[in-house]
Amino acid sequence: MTQPAIAIIDQIRFFLDANDKRGLTALIDNLKSNELIHAIGHLPKQEQASLLTLLAPEDAADVIEEIPDAQAVEIIEDIDAAQAAAILDKMTSDEQADLIQEMHFEDAEAILDQLSDEDANEIRRLVMYDPKTAGGIMVTEILVFDEQLTVGQVIEHLRVAVRSDDDTLLRYIYITDSKGIISGVIQMWDLVPATPDTRLINIAQRAVLTVNVDTQLDELINFFDTYDFYAVPVIDHDGRICGAVLRKDLLEAETENMVYEHLETQGIVGGDEIRTMPVLLRSRRRLSWLSVNILLNIVAASVIAYHQDVLESVIALAVFLPIISDMSGCSGNQAVAVSMRELSLGVVKPTEAMRVWIQEVSVGIINGLILGLLIALAAFFWKGNIFLGIVAGGALMLNTILAVSIGGTVPLLLKRFGVDPALASGPILTTITDMCGFFLALTFASMLLPQLGGL
């Protein structure tokens, strides 16, 4: 049975006050992931830091890997650099790079200075890769041996690795030539029937599928959809092996990317946000989008101001303006969602905007006609004036076609010119559909003003 949240927090505080490492470790081990995340999120910063420093580094590393990265960074930055380095040292290379990448430069360097030169340089190298590429997702804890080594030598190495509690990926063995270029892969069970003096090159699968450090997230997704592999080796531009992308890590990266894209479409810029972050930071991340959006809305509102006399003459039209704007926006957002999804899967390329537009217009015409007819009938039954229905229905129909055209093609065009489509598509779509919806309705009304007078 799930323990009450307050009881869990009280127990954590009891063990912290008593400096009871064993009791705290046992409690943390028995908590479900969601219970742990909730409890830590409700502890003050000082107690969060105390929790990590009281636990053994390997247990603290497990806690860090459970909680959101944004929260983990906050806690790690609040503890002593030497203790933070001890925790980081127990984490996998990709997790280390993710945390260091999110930290303030001074805090990150202070922690890296506490690590061995080899480990610190490895993390610095990983941080340089785009997190949406194979280099940014890969782990470096893999088994790599010279192709001329024997099975007996490798088995002895594995015995040492197991005894030293090495976190090395043990499912595949990658072999390289004298220049470090990958030349084959061996699955662990292939070592069992081989004699100790057999050279690795003689039992290896020579045709190795690899990805480059710059391979994009969508290409990696397609790769693992095609091949039922546990991992794929990552090579640099010279063919030397750098690490491996694990299927489970790719799934996590894909989920995280979808979360970030959703946040950006809602106007939260700069990464993940949790409410324990500093208020000014959270405010800045939201205002960076809201301040632009208010200017775009002023542009849309200016269309209404320009046709103020028409709106004063046909007050009933004011009821339909937000409906026209909202329904068109919904249609456009559906098109944006499909384009974003197809871009992420590699189904469409940024250069295929014209093909996407033709496909969207077909849907837009059908949906526009049906939605326009529905709102036209509503207007007619409400006021008994067919011309009000023509104005509202015609504006919604044309604006729906325009909205899906923009929603379908703008993400591709933005991607082509190097602009983040998740962030920019929404404001562009909203502004244009609002402005055009108001313009179409008010323009049609001005053309039929004699037939609409007095409504």
Side-chain angles (χ1 to χ4, degrees):
M1 181 179 295
T2 301
Q3 303 178 62
I6 299 300
I8 294 172
I9 295 172
D10 287 341
Q11 289 178 66
I12 290 175
R13 285 178 171 149
F14 173 80
F15 292 126
L16 290 176
D17 292 340
N19 202 36
D20 187 346
K21 176 179 177 179
R22 182 177 296 179
L24 181 62
T25 302
L27 174 63
I28 296 297
D29 286 344
N30 288 323
L31 290 180
K32 296 179 181 177
S33 178
N34 63 317
E35 292 175 330
L36 178 61
I37 293 170
H38 183 269
I40 291 178
H42 284 71
L43 291 173
K45 283 190 174 183
Q46 185 176 355
E47 291 181 348
Q48 291 176 343
S50 297
L51 183 149
L52 283 191
T53 53
L54 182 57
L55 292 171
E58 56 269 22
D59 294 322
D62 290 339
V63 170
I64 287 295
E65 292 183 0
E66 288 286 347
I67 63 179
D69 284 351
Q71 190 175 40
V73 167
E74 285 187 344
I75 302 174
I76 287 289
E77 288 182 334
D78 282 342
I79 65 178
D80 178 74
Q83 292 174 311
I87 295 170
L88 220 69
D89 190 51
K90 298 299 181 181
M91 301 173 67
T92 57
S93 55
D94 58 327
E95 292 284 352
Q96 292 173 337
D98 288 345
L99 288 183
I100 290 294
Q101 196 167 42
E102 294 295 324
M103 291 182 189
H104 293 99
F105 178 77
E106 296 80 6
D107 293 321
E109 285 300 313
I111 293 172
L112 291 175
D113 287 342
Q114 299 294 322
L115 297 171
S116 68
D117 290 342
E118 181 181 357
D119 289 343
N121 290 334
E122 181 71 12
I123 294 173
R124 289 190 177 98
R125 182 175 68 86
L126 292 176
V127 167
M128 298 300 293
Y129 293 117
D130 185 330
K132 295 183 181 180
T133 63
I137 302 171
M138 70 181 181
V139 296
T140 57
E141 295 86 358
I142 58 174
L143 292 168
V144 181
F145 295 101
D146 186 279
E147 62 187 12
Q148 295 302 320
L149 290 178
T150 65
V151 169
Q153 290 172 310
V154 170
I155 290 176
E156 182 57 33
H157 175 91
L158 294 177
R159 288 197 186 101
V160 174
V162 171
R163 286 200 298 269
S164 64
D165 196 27
D166 194 343
D167 287 333
T168 302
L169 175 63
L170 293 174
R171 182 166 299 196
Y172 298 125
I173 294 174
Y174 301 106
I175 63 171
T176 61
D177 62 17
S178 58
K179 297 179 181 179
I181 296 174
I182 188 168
S183 58
V185 61
I186 302 170
Q187 297 197 62
M188 193 61 64
W189 55 72
D190 290 336
L191 297 177
V192 177
T195 58
D197 60 346
T198 302
R199 296 194 182 279
L200 298 182
I201 189 66
N202 294 328
I203 60 171
Q205 170 64 45
R206 302 299 300 276
V208 187
L209 294 175
T210 62
V211 294
N212 191 273
V213 288
D214 296 326
T215 301
Q216 296 294 310
L217 181 62
D218 54 353
E219 296 176 72
L220 288 170
I221 294 169
N222 288 336
F223 180 92
F224 278 98
D225 284 343
T226 304
Y227 301 102
D228 187 23
F229 291 166
Y230 174 77
V232 59
V234 181
I235 59 173
D236 63 17
H237 300 292
D238 296 321
R240 290 187 291 266
I241 188 166
C242 304
V245 172
L246 308 185
R247 177 181 290 272
K248 68 179 184 64
D249 290 341
L250 177 65
L251 293 175
E252 290 176 7
E254 181 184 13
T255 301
E256 186 176 86
N257 187 57
M258 290 171 64
V259 169
Y260 285 171
E261 286 185 350
H262 176 70
L263 288 173
E264 288 183 341
T265 61
Q266 302 307 308
I268 298 177
V269 183
D272 201 0
E273 177 183 322
I274 54 176
R275 291 187 173 90
T276 58
M277 286 179 167
V279 173
L280 291 179
L281 173 62
R282 294 172 57 216
S283 174
R284 185 172 70 248
R285 286 186 171 185
R286 296 189 187 190
L287 277 175
S288 59
W289 184 86
L290 293 173
S291 55
V292 173
N293 207 40
I294 195 171
L295 295 176
L296 296 175
N297 275 282
I298 290 172
V299 174
S302 65
V303 175
I304 296 178
Y306 181 77
H307 291 88
Q308 185 176 351
D309 55 337
V310 175
L311 196 56
E312 289 175 349
S313 301
V314 190
I315 298 300
L317 191 59
V319 174
F320 293 98
L321 289 181
I323 298 176
I324 294 168
S325 171
D326 183 65
M327 291 304 302
S328 301
C330 288
S331 297
N333 281 324
Q334 290 175 333
V336 168
V338 173
S339 288
M340 293 292 296
R341 179 61 175 161
E342 289 189 336
L343 278 172
S344 68
L345 294 175
V347 176
V348 298
K349 301 294 183 183
T351 54
E352 297 180 282
M354 180 58 69
R355 182 176 68 84
V356 169
W357 176 71
I358 293 172
Q359 293 172 330
E360 282 297 336
V361 165
S362 303
V363 175
I365 290 173
I366 296 171
N367 289 357
L369 283 170
I370 294 172
L371 294 173
L373 179 61
L374 289 174
I375 197 173
L377 290 173
F380 174 72
F381 286 124
W382 179 40
K383 287 295 184 179
N385 189 312
I386 188 63
F387 295 102
L388 180 62
I390 292 173
V391 169
L396 178 56
M397 180 190 70
L398 293 177
N399 209 36
T400 297
I401 297 172
L402 177 65
V404 298
S405 298
I406 295 170
T409 57
V410 163
L412 278 69
L413 296 174
L414 292 173
K415 184 78 171 179
R416 186 175 182 180
F417 290 105
V419 180
D420 186 354
L423 179 59
S425 297
I428 291 174
L429 174 67
T430 300
T431 302
I432 295 179
T433 53
D434 284 356
M435 188 168 57
C436 292
F438 298 155
F439 174 78
L440 289 168
L442 293 169
T443 301
F444 291 167
S446 65
M447 295 168 59
L448 298 174
L449 196 56
Q451 288 80 17
L452 296 171
L455 290 179

